[in-house]
Amino acid sequence: MAEVIGTSDRVALGAFDGLPVLNVADLDADPHGMFRRYRAAYPFVGHQAGGYLILRHADIERLGNGSGTAASETAHPEMFGVTEGALFDLFEQGMLTANGAVHRRRRSPFSRSFAARTMADLRPQIRRSAEELIESWYADGRVEFVDQFAAQLPARVIGNLLGLPRADIPSFTNLVYSVTRFFSSSIVPDEIPELEAACRGLRDYVEKTLDDRRSAPRDDFLSDFLGKADAAGELSPLEIVFQIVQLIIGGTDTTRVAIVMQLALLLQHREQWDAVCRDPSLVPGAVAEAMRFEPSVASFVRVTTEDIELGGAVLPARQFIILSTMSAARDGDAYDRPDVFDIRRTDQPRLLPAFGAGAHRCIGEALARVELEESLAALAARLPHLRLDEAPVIKGHSGIRRVDSMRISWQP
Ligand code: HEM
């Protein structure tokens, strides 16, 4: 069996009897190919870092919805030998990995603020931010798109929502990009001290921002949340800090990668880009198809609470499971011609697997969709003739995926 980096009290790491164990090097080289090959023969396989990879669309929906599963609490950091510190607190104190009443207590203060109707009201403001960014480099006729647009828009949006100064964007986004590396199943133990330092930096930044708001409340989301949270007394000071940390993390890197990939995929399928430029009503379909074809979050995780029968095999209880949204999104049992990028497809499920499932389904989904749609609409309106000079390379097959650079140009 492959090397297992650590173990958790709550979760046994299975011996994967007789199952293939996918190793990180093979997944790095060809993730879609590996998923395609194994998905056809196995509902689940082992992962080199420990934990089972669930591959099929229907199984991911069922297990993600809580059937025989629970949120993973601190199993992920423990698997990598992290049992204290800011990274550990992120998992112990945040909503993402909490169960039952604890999860509801942590998530419910934000549910209304992030509801689809509230987010729709932000459309004009988000469109204006996208247009401002485009105008800031339009006259140059070329731009490195990842840093100058895709990274900026989500950071500005979540920063505006939380009332964070624009000048803080470079520092908090860099901390986020480091911390999100810890959500992957391919972390190398040597990387952990750097990621821990980044998580401490993010926690300290949020703590200081909250202290400032307590001493000088404003008419904004954060002051309102703090006033209510302090009055209700249901969240500990550390829980308050880590819910905001999770919103900043969730709202920054995931959307950055998705903004890059949707533009790159459209430009690589030029006739579909041209169609979006001619007909903006194609924008929501293009966003959904890009999220399916190359999701920015490749997986989400759970633990099994009982033995589960899947496709004729038994997934044992008390196991760490990685639900591969990346594999689900190319499952031929769920999609017609799954390896074809087609913004007009009619078999898109109402709930895209890329946003997770059940009680933990992404709280920022409505916000992310507005950001993705408004940024694409703004780019298509202003830059219909743009050229893709350097395509981004997307890497990663679990947790949040990574992109390098992307260069585009146009005739101003
Ligand atoms: C394209 C963009 C995004 C993608 C692909 C994405 C994906 C996900 C996924 C897969 C999960 C885990 C769901 C599960 O375990 O079932 C999640 C949870 C979460 N996301 Fe997002 N997300 C995105 C944008 C955002 C934004 C903009 C925010 C912030 C406002 C955000 C905040 C969160 C939070 C706080 C959770 C934890 C929810 C809970 O456990 O109750 N995400 N997201």
Side-chain angles (χ1 to χ4, degrees), residues 265-404:
L265 285 165
L266 284 165
L267 292 174
Q268 286 164 336
H269 299 83
R270 187 78 205 194
E271 70 296 348
Q272 300 192 51
W273 167 254
D274 292 340
V276 169
C277 294
R278 280 194 309 273
D279 178 2
S281 73
L282 293 173
V283 164
V287 167
E289 179 63 348
M291 293 286 300
R292 181 192 74 83
F293 201 75
E294 289 294 3
S296 56
V297 179
S299 60
F300 56 103
V301 302
R302 298 285 189 269
V303 294
T304 54
T305 52
E306 57 192 55
D307 287 358
I308 299 171
E309 200 271 316
L310 275 193
V314 175
L315 186 59
R318 295 183 61 242
Q319 300 296 320
F320 187 79
I321 56 172
I322 305 162
L323 305 161
S324 175
T325 47
M326 207 174 147
S327 174
R330 300 281 188 109
D331 184 343
D333 286 341
Y335 301 95
D336 184 33
R337 300 169 301 130
D339 294 314
V340 173
F341 179 77
D342 178 4
I343 62 171
R344 296 185 176 88
R345 66 169 55 245
T346 52
D347 54 1
Q348 214 65 265
R350 194 178 60 81
L351 298 176
L352 297 180
F355 288 105
H360 288 273
R361 189 173 172 81
C362 180
I363 200 170
E365 175 176 359
L367 175 60
R369 281 183 184 248
V370 171
E371 291 181 59
L372 292 167
E373 289 174 10
E374 291 307 321
S375 58
L376 180 54
L379 289 160
R382 186 69 166 124
L383 297 164
H385 302 299
L386 63 79
R387 289 182 299 273
L388 179 60
D389 297 331
E390 183 195 358
V393 177
I394 182 157
K395 293 190 178 145
H397 31 76
S398 64
I400 301 176
R401 300 174 77 201
R402 322 212 68 78
V403 285
D404 50 8

Side-chain angles (χ1 to χ4, degrees), residues 64 94-98 103 107 114 119 154 158 161 243 246-259 291 295-302 323 325 353-369 371-372:
M95 70 178 93
L96 178 66
T97 40
H103 174 249
R107 178 170 169 134
F114 284 92
M119 292 301 112
I158 197 75
L161 210 67
Q243 302 332 298
Q246 286 203 343
L247 286 177
I248 295 176
I249 292 177
T252 307
D253 207 3
T254 52
T255 318
R256 173 182 77 119
V257 176
I259 288 175
M291 293 286 300
S296 56
V297 179
S299 60
F300 56 103
V301 302
R302 298 285 189 269
L323 305 161
T325 47
F355 288 105
H360 288 273
R361 189 173 172 81
C362 180
I363 200 170
E365 175 176 359
L367 175 60
R369 281 183 184 248
E371 291 181 59
L372 292 167

